[in-house]
């Protein structure tokens, strides 16, 4: 993991003697801890990763996580109680005058503890350097994301026959999550969305007791977690034959996604990719119905730090992975969203999520 640590240091605006990535209790876990250590198992509550300019990384870990931590091959400082944890941190802090913290993730309590242990040190926020480093995936990360995308795509296709009138949204979500884990997922990447009928017009709906009915549009937003790496895919299906209005809405979103896909190339700014999809939708009767950003980086988190939206100045580079997910939402009628995970390459976009992007008839 030395290359990852050195990359973070290369992105720093000001030099530091060490960077401390601190975990508190779930959900306050800094996924950059796992990025720097290369660990893909364990929770590591109350643990810290210590990164040094020469690329070294050391872990202060609880005895609870010792077996998982050993898999990193990194130097370990094992504690069994609070006093031992504090003593280990004091040893590592000795002589440090400039310390970097990931201010986007550290809790106030953890930060206060560090400042108390090193009262003469100067602390600086290195979250921008961490984010910029994590945006560009290495080969190991790309393969894990590719696997997560494959599991999600295959599981969705296997779940399609289950979706029919009379099933509830929650039943469909449960079947899809079960199928993903049966196909090798560590778990779902996030809470699965199954929004049927008018519920499909709510972008971050989850899955409830509503029964699926003939004629419903159903937005299904799902992802597989594989060794801590995420996929994030959305497909919209229709129960029975699509009405002309449903098909027009779907075709509009599909064309918008295709327009954005053409822009997902090295050297293009994130806001230009968003504009390609937004311009197409706003030229139709659905103007103003695309109410969110086009996409986000994906990796150790579902929303992994960077976004594709109207103000994004991120310049695309090879080995970045973003979602491309335009949508149209009409309250009381329904919505359509199509989302794929896309790897930026020198030759153009590579779509990692392989499920069909056509409007699929179910039920």
């Amino acid at each position: 993991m030395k290359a990852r640590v050195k990359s973070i240091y290369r992105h720093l605006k000001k030099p530091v003697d060490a960077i401390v990535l601190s975990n508190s209790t779930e959900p306050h876990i800094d996924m950059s801890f796992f990025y720097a250590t290369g660990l893909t198992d364990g929770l590591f509550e109350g643990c810290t990763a210590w990164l040094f300019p020469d690329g070294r990384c050391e872990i202060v870990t609880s005895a609870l996580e010792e077996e998982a931590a050993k898999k990193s091959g990194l130097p370990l400082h094992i504690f069994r109680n609070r006093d031992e944890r504090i003593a280990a941190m004091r040893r590592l802090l000795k002589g440090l005058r400039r310390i970097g913290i990931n201010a986007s993730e550290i809790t106030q309590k953890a930060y206060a503890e560090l400042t108390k242990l090193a009262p003469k040190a100067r602390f600086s926020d290195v979250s921008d350097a961490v984010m910029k480093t994590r945006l560009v995936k290495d080969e190991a990360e790309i393969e894990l994301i590719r696997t997560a995308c494959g599991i999600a795509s295959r599981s969705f296709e296997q779940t399609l026959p289950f979706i029919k009138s009379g099933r509830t949204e929650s039943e469909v979500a449960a079947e899809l999550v079960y199928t993903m884990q049966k196909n090798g997922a560590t778990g779902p990447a996030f809470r699965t969305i199954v929004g049927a009928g008018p519920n499909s017009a709510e972008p971050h709906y989850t899955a409830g007791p509503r029964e699926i009915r003939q004629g419903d549009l159903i937005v299904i937003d799902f992802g597989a977690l594989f060794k801590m790496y995420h996929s994030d895919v959305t497909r919209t299906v229709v129960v029975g034959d699509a009405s002309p209005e449903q098909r027009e809405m779907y075709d509009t979103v599909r064309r918008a996604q295709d327009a954005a896909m053409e822009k997902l190339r090295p050297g293009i700014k994130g806001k230009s990719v968003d504009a390609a999809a937004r311009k197409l939708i706003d030229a139709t009767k659905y103007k103003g119905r695309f109410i969110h950003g086009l996409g986000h980086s994906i990796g150790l988190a579902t929303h992994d730090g960077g976004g594709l939206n109207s103000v994004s100045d991120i310049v695309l580079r090879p080995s970045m992975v973003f979602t491309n997910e335009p949508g149209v939402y009409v309250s009381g009628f329904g919505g359509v969203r199509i989302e794929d995970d896309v790897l930026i390459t020198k030759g153009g976009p590579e779509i990692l999520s392989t499920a069909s992007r056509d409007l699929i008839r179910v039920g």
Side-chain angles (χ1 to χ4, degrees), residues 200-203 217 219 221 234-236 248-258 260 274 277-282 284 286-295 323-330 334-340:
S200 61
E202 186 179 334
L217 282 171
V219 169
D221 191 337
T234 304
R235 293 294 184 262
T236 303
E248 183 179 3
M249 184 184 289
Y250 193 92
D251 289 346
T252 299
V253 174
R254 175 66 184 270
R255 288 188 293 115
Q257 194 198 35
D258 288 342
D274 179 274
R278 201 167 300 279
K279 180 179 179 182
L280 191 147
I281 291 172
D282 284 348
T284 72
Y286 301 113
K287 182 178 181 179
R289 300 290 188 179
F290 179 19
I291 55 175
H292 53 74
L294 177 73
T323 65
N324 177 2
E325 50 177 307
V328 165
Y329 311 93
V330 178
V336 169
R337 183 165 66 254
I338 309 170
E339 176 182 19
D340 285 285

Side-chain angles (χ1 to χ4, degrees), residues 4 47 100 102 119 121 152 165 215 217 246 248 289 305 348:
R4 294 181 182 181
C47 302
N102 189 8
S165 297
L217 282 171
Q246 289 172 330
E248 183 179 3
R289 300 290 188 179

Side-chain angles (χ1 to χ4, degrees), residues 268-347:
I268 303 295
K269 282 191 175 181
K271 58 187 174 185
S272 298
V273 186
D274 179 274
R278 201 167 300 279
K279 180 179 179 182
L280 191 147
I281 291 172
D282 284 348
T284 72
K285 67 182 184 182
Y286 301 113
K287 182 178 181 179
R289 300 290 188 179
F290 179 19
I291 55 175
H292 53 74
L294 177 73
H296 52 82
S297 179
I298 191 163
L300 278 166
T302 302
H303 291 242
D304 205 40
L308 302 177
N309 52 53
S310 60
V311 296
S312 173
D313 285 323
I314 290 173
V315 177
L316 300 184
R317 292 177 55 190
S319 298
M320 289 182 173
V321 182
F322 281 92
T323 65
N324 177 2
E325 50 177 307
V328 165
Y329 311 93
V330 178
S331 181
F333 176 78
V336 169
R337 183 165 66 254
I338 309 170
E339 176 182 19
D340 285 285
D341 301 338
V342 185
L343 172 65
I344 310 301
T345 76
K346 291 179 181 179

Side-chain angles (χ1 to χ4, degrees), residues 32-315:
S32 297
F33 171 97
F34 296 94
Y35 176 77
T37 62
L39 290 166
T40 57
D41 290 307
L43 182 56
F44 288 92
E45 289 180 323
C47 302
T48 47
W50 299 70
L51 285 53
F52 299 96
D54 61 1
R56 284 182 299 121
C57 179
E58 301 185 20
I59 303 173
V60 175
T61 180
S62 62
L64 174 68
E65 302 287 5
E66 182 179 357
E67 288 305 309
K70 286 178 181 176
K71 297 175 186 177
S72 70
L74 299 173
L76 305 181
H77 306 265
I78 300 160
F79 63 86
R80 289 165 180 78
N81 54 52
R82 182 182 182 277
D83 289 343
E84 289 184 3
R85 180 174 64 83
I86 294 298
M89 292 174 68
R90 233 187 223 113
R91 286 194 299 272
L92 286 162
L93 286 166
K94 189 175 180 180
L96 300 181
R97 291 291 175 260
R98 301 167 300 178
I99 301 169
I101 57 166
N102 189 8
S104 295
E105 298 293 339
I106 193 171
T107 64
Q108 174 62 29
K109 184 177 180 180
Y111 175 63
E113 182 178 69
L114 278 172
T115 57
K116 186 177 180 180
L117 291 172
K120 294 183 179 180
R122 285 179 295 153
F123 290 83
S124 59
D125 177 19
V126 299
S127 58
D128 189 57
V130 171
M131 186 200 76
K132 286 179 178 176
T133 302
R134 281 179 53 184
L135 275 176
V136 180
K137 276 43 180 179
D138 59 33
E139 284 303 316
E141 291 184 288
I142 290 169
E143 285 310 305
L144 290 170
I145 297 169
R146 192 189 304 278
T147 299
C149 287
I151 291 170
S153 299
R154 186 165 67 256
S155 300
F156 170 75
E157 291 171 340
Q158 292 171 357
T159 303
L160 285 172
F162 183 84
I163 306 171
K164 58 184 67 176
S165 297
R167 305 273 197 210
T168 67
E169 297 165 332
S170 293
E171 287 172 337
V172 172
E175 181 70 15
L176 180 50
V177 170
Y178 166 69
T179 304
M180 286 194 291
Q181 289 207 237
K182 190 168 65 172
N183 284 331
T186 309
F190 50 85
R191 193 166 51 182
T192 301
I193 295 172
V194 179
N199 292 336
S200 61
E202 186 179 334
H204 279 166
Y205 181 78
T206 52
R210 184 189 184 279
E211 289 189 357
I212 291 167
R213 303 167 193 168
Q214 194 73 14
D216 277 350
L217 282 171
I218 310 175
V219 169
I220 305 173
D221 191 337
F222 58 99
L225 182 69
F226 183 73
K227 296 184 178 179
M228 292 199 175
Y229 280 80
H230 297 61
S231 57
D232 185 3
V233 184
T234 304
R235 293 294 184 262
T236 303
V237 301
V238 62
V239 185
D241 294 328
S243 69
E245 180 69 20
Q246 289 172 330
R247 186 159 292 283
E248 183 179 3
M249 184 184 289
Y250 193 92
D251 289 346
T252 299
V253 174
R254 175 66 184 270
R255 288 188 293 115
Q257 194 198 35
D258 288 342
M261 203 71 76
E262 284 299 310
K263 292 284 187 178
L264 285 168
R265 299 175 182 276
I268 303 295
K269 282 191 175 181
K271 58 187 174 185
S272 298
V273 186
D274 179 274
R278 201 167 300 279
K279 180 179 179 182
L280 191 147
I281 291 172
D282 284 348
T284 72
K285 67 182 184 182
Y286 301 113
K287 182 178 181 179
R289 300 290 188 179
F290 179 19
I291 55 175
H292 53 74
L294 177 73
H296 52 82
S297 179
I298 191 163
L300 278 166
T302 302
H303 291 242
D304 205 40
L308 302 177
N309 52 53
S310 60
V311 296
S312 173
D313 285 323
I314 290 173
V315 177

